[in-house]
Amino acid sequence: MHAFDVLGDPVRRRILELLAGGEQSSGELTAVIQREFRISQPAVSQHLRVLRDNGFASVRAEGTRRLYAVEPGPLQEVDLWLERFRGFWSQRMDALATELARGKRERRMTKETKDT
């Protein structure tokens, strides 16, 4: 399965977001995903399997618990692929940062004028 096929599913993206905060048990992940997406435990397990089988997540046993963690390799490959497109939005992001700074400066100056 291609990386973007794996990442194209919102449930799998959400699982990776949860794992970005650190290792989590399958039970913890399942509880959040079931609440947010209203899918069954077997469906969550299938998404975890897709992530694991495609190298995006690893699992280790700790007693009866299964702990999942993000594997950075496939995400680094996606990042490398995206690199060639960053120029399209980096200039816009720089322009946005300039406008935000300008607005902040104007608000500060307006406040200073009112305070005096």
Side-chain angles (χ1 to χ4, degrees):
M1 187 177 279
H2 189 275
F4 286 108
D5 293 327
V6 174
L7 296 174
D9 186 280
V11 173
R12 291 192 287 268
R13 285 194 311 271
R14 180 63 176 131
I15 291 170
L16 288 173
E17 289 170 0
L18 293 168
L19 293 175
E23 193 175 60
Q24 292 195 36
S25 72
S26 58
E28 293 167 325
L29 293 167
T30 298
V32 171
I33 298 301
Q34 282 183 311
R35 184 175 60 250
E36 292 181 5
F37 290 91
R38 308 269 189 245
I39 62 175
S40 68
Q41 182 276 327
V44 176
S45 292
Q46 183 62 35
H47 285 292
L48 288 168
R49 181 176 180 198
V50 169
L51 290 169
R52 199 175 58 244
D53 289 352
N54 288 281
F56 283 84
S58 62
V59 64
R60 69 178 181 88
E62 185 178 88
T64 59
R65 296 175 5 139
R66 299 291 174 257
L67 298 172
Y68 285 83
V70 170
E71 287 296 324
L75 295 171
Q76 290 169 339
E77 291 174 24
V78 169
D79 187 52
L80 285 172
W81 187 85
L82 287 170
E83 183 62 37
R84 69 183 98 172
F85 301 101
R86 283 205 173 83
F88 292 115
W89 66 76
S90 63
Q91 290 175 336
R92 291 185 176 114
M93 294 303 284
D94 291 343
L96 175 61
T98 299
E99 289 302 314
L100 290 172
R102 181 178 295 141
K104 187 176 180 180
R105 185 173 50 251
E106 288 173 1
R107 284 190 303 277
R108 187 176 57 242
M109 290 172 54
T110 300
K111 183 179 185 238
E112 288 172 0
T113 303
K114 287 181 182 178
D115 290 344
T116 57

